[in-house]
Amino acid sequence: MSRSLLLLLLGALCAGAALLIDEPDAEERLHDAAQRLERRLRIAQKELEDLTEAHASRAASWGAGTWLEQESDALDQERERSGTTFSLTIGDSLVAWSGDRQAFSTMRTDSLLRAEVRVGRLVLTAVRPTWHAPRVQNRFLREGFHPSLRADEGLIAVAPPQPGQDIALGASGPALRVAWREGAMELGAWLQWRAALIACATLLLIAALWRTCKALAARRRLLAIAAFVLGLLVLRWTTLAFGPTAPFDRWSLFDPAVYATDWWFPSLGDLLINAVLIALASAFALRGLRGYQPRAGAWLVLLAVAIPLLHAAAITRLIIGLVASSTIDLDLYHIQGLGAFGAIALTSVAILMGGWCMTAIAMARLM
């Protein structure tokens, strides 16, 4: 089996595997995530009860003051790990506590795990946060489950009657109702796997096309160059005709609202892809015409002059489109706030310019 055929088969295999990776069902994922969180909550509740019983026994034996002094470091470490705080009362009097007693005073009771141990008149109460929803939210203060519970990314607690999955703790009935945060289903490891397989398939197919046309160039150089360019056009047309697919339709880089000019250039990401393909075609032409000694002919001179001019006209139209048909600020007044999209746009322009230079050098060899 030739290497070109092997690369072609591997590329087709990766493409098929990418198509087989589909988005998991939201309800099924929510059910599984809720079950995992419920198991972790049960384990956390058992840990809290055991820890409370152990500290209550020590407090009863040592006394409240000695217990707090001896166990202060351990209590602080537990608060850092799980957010657990303790309060010790004797009769009706609060005599000792750990952490900030007001930290969870405004939280819902279903956002806490609680454990209480009574030894005579001594009562030790422990609370462990599960869901934290601050009144004011910003990039530093965000609602979410406590990190020690390792809840699935995008999982949030909601209040009835909002739809969701109930999590029960013991026989007391539902303790929490969970659902997916808006946009959470846009994430997931399956997107990374599909993107990686699509990238591998594209690289393998282009490598197979390159090797096949390189072998043809040994006999018919101009035909090999035309075949390579046509192969890239067919490959790109196929991906565009197939339509936007995950994960590309979920990345803002491929959002038409950022940049779009026509069917071949529907987004900034497609501009970058097309620029790379154009540069590849130019590089193949430059390599294929190395040492070429063409026969004299007016049609060959006309072709060598026309192709760089048409290429330059297309690049000019694309650069104008980056300013006229996009929301990217590419003027000097915004150079300090260029941003990621601006950098990608300028990178695409640089690749297009490099491709044109290779095309011009390649066509000069025809003359």
Side-chain angles (χ1 to χ4, degrees):
M1 181 183 294
S2 66
R3 291 186 179 180
S4 298
L5 182 58
L6 180 60
L7 291 172
L8 180 62
L9 291 177
L10 289 176
L13 183 63
C14 289
L19 293 176
L20 290 177
I21 297 178
D22 200 4
E23 181 176 0
D25 181 73
E27 293 297 329
E28 182 179 352
R29 286 186 61 190
L30 179 61
H31 177 72
D32 295 340
Q35 283 191 331
R36 285 191 293 270
L37 181 59
E38 183 174 352
R39 287 194 296 269
R40 290 165 185 161
L41 285 171
R42 292 182 184 276
I43 294 173
Q45 179 67 35
K46 183 64 169 58
E47 291 177 351
L48 186 65
E49 292 173 356
D50 294 342
L51 187 64
T52 306
E53 186 174 352
H55 279 291
S57 177
R58 297 189 190 110
S61 301
W62 301 345
T66 304
W67 166 74
L68 187 61
E69 181 181 355
Q70 295 291 331
E71 298 292 332
S72 59
D73 291 340
L75 294 176
D76 288 341
Q77 291 175 7
E78 183 62 29
R79 182 167 59 89
E80 291 292 329
R81 185 189 73 86
S82 63
T84 302
T85 59
F86 294 87
S87 61
L88 180 64
T89 59
I90 298 179
D92 295 331
S93 302
L94 177 66
V95 296
W97 63 87
S98 67
D100 185 2
R101 293 189 62 249
Q102 298 180 349
F104 307 109
S105 60
T106 59
M107 296 180 64
R108 304 193 312 267
T109 57
D110 61 356
S111 298
L112 298 172
L113 297 177
R114 305 181 68 89
E116 184 176 289
V117 175
R118 183 181 298 272
V119 182
R121 299 179 64 246
L122 181 147
V123 179
L124 182 64
T125 303
V127 294
R128 177 173 175 173
T130 58
W131 171 257
H132 180 53
R135 293 181 178 179
V136 178
Q137 297 189 38
N138 50 40
R139 63 177 180 172
F140 302 106
L141 298 175
R142 297 292 302 274
E143 63 180 8
F145 287 98
H146 195 274
S148 63
L149 297 174
R150 305 190 313 278
D152 290 49
E153 185 178 0
L155 198 67
I156 61 173
V158 296
Q162 298 184 52
Q165 179 81 28
D166 288 331
I167 295 178
L169 292 177
S172 60
L176 280 175
R177 175 170 291 185
V178 295
W180 290 120
R181 191 189 305 273
E182 183 179 359
M185 294 305 294
E186 305 293 325
L187 307 174
W190 70 279
L191 289 173
Q192 284 75 27
W193 280 106
R194 175 179 262 194
L197 287 171
I198 291 175
C200 288
T202 303
L203 292 175
L204 289 169
L205 292 176
I206 292 177
L209 179 63
W210 182 288
R211 290 187 60 87
T212 302
C213 295
K214 181 181 176 182
L216 179 61
R219 303 185 302 271
R220 301 289 298 274
R221 299 198 185 199
L222 296 182
L223 180 61
I225 294 172
F228 185 79
V229 173
L230 181 61
L232 290 181
L233 285 174
V234 170
L235 180 62
R236 188 65 183 131
W237 178 87
T238 303
T239 57
L240 289 172
F242 188 75
T245 182
F248 305 106
D249 59 346
R250 310 187 182 203
W251 293 343
S252 54
L253 180 62
F254 292 86
D255 187 357
V258 177
Y259 165 82
T261 55
D262 53 32
W263 188 83
W264 286 96
F265 296 88
S267 68
L268 183 61
D270 290 292
L271 171 64
L272 180 61
I273 292 173
N274 291 343
V276 172
L277 294 180
I278 291 173
L280 277 175
S282 301
F284 185 85
L286 182 62
R287 180 183 178 88
L289 293 176
R290 183 179 300 168
Y292 184 53
Q293 295 180 353
R295 297 177 181 177
W299 68 272
L300 207 57
V301 174
L302 181 62
L303 182 68
V305 172
I307 289 180
L309 291 177
L310 293 175
H311 194 167
I315 290 177
T316 301
R317 186 177 65 86
L318 290 175
I319 295 175
I320 293 174
L322 275 174
V323 177
S325 305
S326 74
T327 58
I328 307 170
D329 295 320
L330 293 175
D331 55 341
L332 291 177
Y333 292 105
H334 299 88
I335 191 65
Q336 290 182 330
L338 190 61
F341 288 159
I344 292 174
L346 293 181
T347 301
S348 301
V349 171
I351 295 174
L352 289 170
M353 293 291 190
W356 182 86
C357 290
M358 289 187 287
T359 299
I361 296 172
M363 292 302 102
R365 291 177 176 174
L366 288 179
M367 302 172 66

